[in-house]
């Protein structure tokens, strides 16, 4: 299976009921401190979360693809109670004290893993029973959105060594989960260069290369030319500057892959942090 556009491929997922179509999110998570500071980013995540149960159904399950879980081959977390991972350093103790005790959903993870195929080998996606949990790419955005931590969360890892096209292809396989009450969340950043950060820069300031890369990506998103995102590295020098390493761009490919033709993104948080971190986020559906 290389395409998840057919909802019936998730027929074996008996633990999830069929629902109306859930949206797809890509969230620029940026600085981990956004999880606890009262700023525009955290407030936007709070407002977005409040729409579930109003504009959209409350999810049965959240499937998050974070920039911070890289593996050889693809894996799904399948533990009952995923731990909160503090995968950063140099921040205040208050950030390390944060816990996001959302449950896992082992049965759903096992069923979904059997439906998904790793693009390079065709094998089912592997299960992680104990090693990972919820890293800050996941919990820093989910905690403001769903503070009750009562929605099960599983993470899908990314095989960083594989071509961008395979990440997009696996995202396409996720599409059918949207009609099983699953909220798909990609968490990364469209531009992410920690080496060139200017901490005193205003949110409307950025490097020319950062703005050019972000606008190119935003144009593809707005026009529905989502397959073009796979070719981001062909943008040359500005792509290399935007992503010295590209793990923060890859979650966008999963989110875009799960989008149906004709769905238009709604952008928010379209600003920069420290001139070289794009916080642009979007929701489809």
């Amino acid at each position: 299976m290389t395409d998840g556009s057919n909802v019936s491929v998730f027929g074996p997922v008996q633990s999830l009921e069929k629902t109306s179509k859930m949206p797809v999110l890509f969230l620029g998570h940026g600085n981990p401190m956004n999880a606890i500071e009262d700023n525009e980013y955290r407030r936007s995540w709070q407002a977005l979360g409040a729409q579930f149960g109003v504009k959209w159904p409350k999810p049965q399950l959240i499937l998050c693809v974070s920039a911070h879980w890289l593996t050889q081959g693809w894996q799904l977390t399948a533990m009952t109670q995923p731990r909160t991972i503090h995968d950063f350093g140099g921040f205040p103790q208050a950030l390390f004290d944060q816990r996001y005790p959302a449950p896992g959903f082992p049965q759903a993870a096992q069923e979904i893993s059997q439906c998904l195929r790793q693009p390079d080998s065709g094998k089912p996606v592997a299960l992680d029973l104990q090693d990972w949990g919820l890293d800050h790419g996941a919990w820093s955005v989910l905690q403001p959105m769903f503070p009750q931590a009562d929605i099960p969360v599983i993470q899908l890892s990314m095989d960083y060594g594989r071509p961008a096209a395979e990440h997009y292809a696996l995202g396409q396989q996720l599409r059918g989960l949207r009609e099983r009450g699953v909220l798909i969340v990609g968490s990364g950043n469209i531009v992410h260069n920690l080496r060139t950060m200017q901490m005193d820069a205003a949110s409307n300031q950025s490097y020319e290369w950062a703005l050019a890369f972000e606008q190119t990506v935003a144009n593809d998103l707005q026009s529905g030319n989502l397959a073009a995102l796979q070719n981001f590295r062909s943008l040359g020098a500005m792509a290399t500057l935007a992503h010295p390493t590209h793990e923060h761009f890859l979650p966008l490919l999963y989110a875009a892959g799960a989008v149906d033709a004709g769905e238009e993104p709604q952008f928010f948080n379209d600003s920069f942090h420290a001139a070289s971190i794009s916080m642009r986020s979007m929701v489809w559906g």
Side-chain angles (χ1 to χ4, degrees):
M1 173 176 52
T2 59
D3 191 328
S5 59
N6 186 348
V7 175
S8 67
V9 300
F10 289 101
V13 185
Q14 301 299 322
S15 55
L16 298 171
E17 296 180 2
K18 295 191 72 172
T19 64
S20 58
K21 187 184 298 182
M22 297 294 291
V24 177
L25 308 180
F26 175 77
L27 303 178
H29 66 251
N31 190 325
M33 289 297 291
N34 293 327
I36 60 174
E37 291 182 339
D38 182 22
N39 59 33
E40 60 181 304
Y41 307 125
R42 188 173 190 273
R43 289 192 294 270
S44 76
W45 300 333
Q46 290 173 319
L48 182 61
Q51 293 299 304
F52 289 89
V54 180
K55 181 177 181 179
W56 304 294
K58 182 177 178 179
Q60 296 182 64
L61 170 68
I62 298 168
L63 189 151
C64 186
V65 184
S66 163
H68 297 282
W69 191 23
L70 306 179
T71 53
Q72 288 189 334
W74 282 266
Q75 300 179 29
L76 282 169
T77 56
M79 63 283 296
T80 300
Q81 189 63 58
R83 64 190 176 97
T84 303
I85 301 173
H86 302 88
D87 48 335
F88 41 68
F91 289 96
Q93 184 60 41
L95 190 60
F96 290 92
D97 290 341
Q98 296 299 305
R99 297 292 183 274
Y100 191 63
F105 200 154
Q107 182 179 353
Q110 183 173 13
E111 292 171 345
I112 291 170
S113 74
Q114 294 302 308
C115 296
L116 300 177
R117 292 292 180 267
Q118 304 198 40
D120 59 329
S121 67
K123 296 179 180 179
V125 170
L127 294 175
D128 168 32
L129 302 177
Q130 62 181 10
D131 292 336
W132 202 245
L134 302 178
D135 60 56
H136 83 267
W139 67 260
S140 70
V141 294
L142 296 180
Q143 185 179 66
M145 288 181 65
F146 305 106
Q148 295 84 8
D150 58 349
I151 302 172
V153 181
I154 61 177
Q155 280 198 226
L156 172 64
S157 74
M158 303 186 299
D159 187 336
Y160 186 78
R162 303 305 305 170
E166 294 185 9
H167 296 275
Y168 183 72
L170 189 47
Q172 289 179 302
Q173 293 185 48
L174 301 177
R175 196 177 299 162
L177 287 173
R178 297 175 59 188
E179 297 191 31
R180 291 283 178 174
V182 180
L183 176 63
I184 297 167
V185 179
S187 179
N189 294 97
I190 290 178
V191 175
H192 187 268
N193 188 332
L194 299 180
R195 306 169 190 174
T196 57
M197 293 173 63
Q198 294 186 10
M199 297 306 297
D200 59 347
S203 62
N204 64 348
Q205 293 179 309
S206 63
Y207 294 97
E208 289 186 6
W209 50 262
L211 184 60
F213 182 85
E214 193 214 39
Q215 286 299 314
T216 299
V217 171
N219 289 342
D220 286 334
L221 291 166
Q222 190 70 63
S223 67
N225 189 20
L226 302 183
L229 300 174
Q230 305 169 83
N231 303 318
F232 73 98
R233 299 183 78 175
S234 69
L235 296 175
M238 68 176 176
T240 302
L241 286 167
H243 293 281
T245 59
H246 56 269
E247 70 280 355
H248 275 74
F249 190 83
L250 293 179
L252 177 61
L253 299 182
Y254 291 81
V259 172
D260 285 333
E263 288 188 292
E264 296 183 2
Q266 298 178 23
F267 294 131
F268 60 101
N269 287 350
D270 53 346
S271 60
F272 278 82
H273 171 67
S276 61
I277 306 294
S278 168
M279 295 298 293
R280 183 184 290 270
S281 304
M282 65 219 65
V283 52
W284 289 271

